[in-house]
Amino acid sequence: MAQLKCPNCGREFVRRVSRSGILEILLSYFYVYPFKCQLCGERFRHREWGVRYIRVETDRREYDRVEMNFPVSFFGQDIKGEGIVINVSMGGCTLQTQAKVETGAILNLSLQLSKDVPPVIVDAGAVRNVREGIIGVEFLLWQQSERERLQLFVRGLLIGRGVEPDPMANRREPLVPR
């Protein structure tokens, strides 16, 4: 079977995502599944005749996170801090910090991807998860030019580790006639 490509950008960095709504549940009975491009964010459906996906409940993210290690600084209402990004995707990141941050806080982030280039600025990121010095942030708002800079960086990371983003998220079994 040929590698699935994004209909928007033509790249192969595509991940099957959770079904959303009754229509996608019904379509899955006809082998039509939802996918999302890991770079441009395009969500689309694709028919894969004879393939049934195994449901994996552990991770419902629509973007695959890539392990990383670079500095980040952030601020929000009554919050200011620094930390280290430990994984990143086009949808968000996880970072280690000593700052006291609460779930639901909105942060402005400055991702220092490299010493050689200016940081990528995320104008608004929502804190979705907090646990002992680790926070998960979903990117909500940023300038298109900043998104494109992060997209190039993430693309390089995905190419470096291969085309298949997450083997567990794309586990599938061909149907075997009984």
Side-chain angles (χ1 to χ4, degrees):
M1 180 181 346
Q3 178 69 34
L4 185 59
K5 292 184 180 183
C6 173
N8 184 48
C9 69
R11 297 190 179 114
E12 296 179 341
F13 300 106
V14 174
R15 175 181 179 167
R16 193 183 84 67
V17 294
S18 297
R19 297 173 295 185
S20 172
I22 190 75
L23 177 62
E24 287 188 349
I25 292 170
L26 292 173
L27 285 172
S28 69
Y29 288 108
F30 298 98
Y31 307 103
V32 177
Y33 302 103
F35 292 86
K36 190 163 193 167
C37 179
Q38 299 295 289
L39 295 176
C40 73
E42 179 78 11
R43 184 179 165 99
F44 62 96
R45 297 182 190 117
H46 180 73
R47 183 180 181 126
E48 293 194 306
W49 185 251
V51 174
R52 290 277 184 225
Y53 281 88
I54 298 170
R55 189 176 192 155
V56 179
E57 290 292 332
T58 57
D59 189 357
R60 295 185 317 238
R61 290 185 184 126
E62 292 199 353
Y63 289 99
D64 191 36
R65 299 249 173 130
V66 181
E67 289 185 25
M68 218 41 261
N69 189 353
F70 58 81
V72 61
S73 58
F74 55 88
F75 66 89
Q77 186 176 2
D78 302 325
I79 304 169
K80 187 172 183 177
E82 295 182 346
I84 300 292
V85 171
I86 56 177
N87 66 46
V88 67
S89 74
M90 291 305 298
C93 67
T94 301
L95 57 104
Q96 288 180 316
T97 183
Q98 298 302 314
K100 300 297 181 207
V101 181
E102 298 203 10
T103 302
I106 303 297
L107 303 175
N108 178 292
L109 296 104
S110 177
L111 308 171
Q112 190 63 57
L113 305 177
S114 167
K115 294 176 184 176
D116 302 330
V117 296
V120 170
I121 305 298
V122 178
D123 295 323
V127 176
R128 298 295 187 203
N129 188 359
V130 177
R131 62 182 188 280
E132 297 184 24
I134 306 280
I135 64 173
V137 178
E138 177 185 2
F139 301 150
L140 301 176
L141 178 67
W142 46 7
Q143 299 295 320
Q144 182 63 26
S145 59
E146 298 297 297
R147 180 174 172 35
E148 289 169 358
R149 290 179 56 222
L150 184 64
Q151 189 176 37
L152 285 171
F153 180 74
V154 170
R155 180 176 180 224
L157 295 174
L158 290 171
I159 288 171
R161 72 178 226 189
V163 173
E164 190 72 29
D166 183 358
M168 289 305 291
N170 282 326
R171 284 183 51 200
R172 55 188 176 187
E173 293 180 346
L175 288 181
V176 179
R178 294 181 187 204

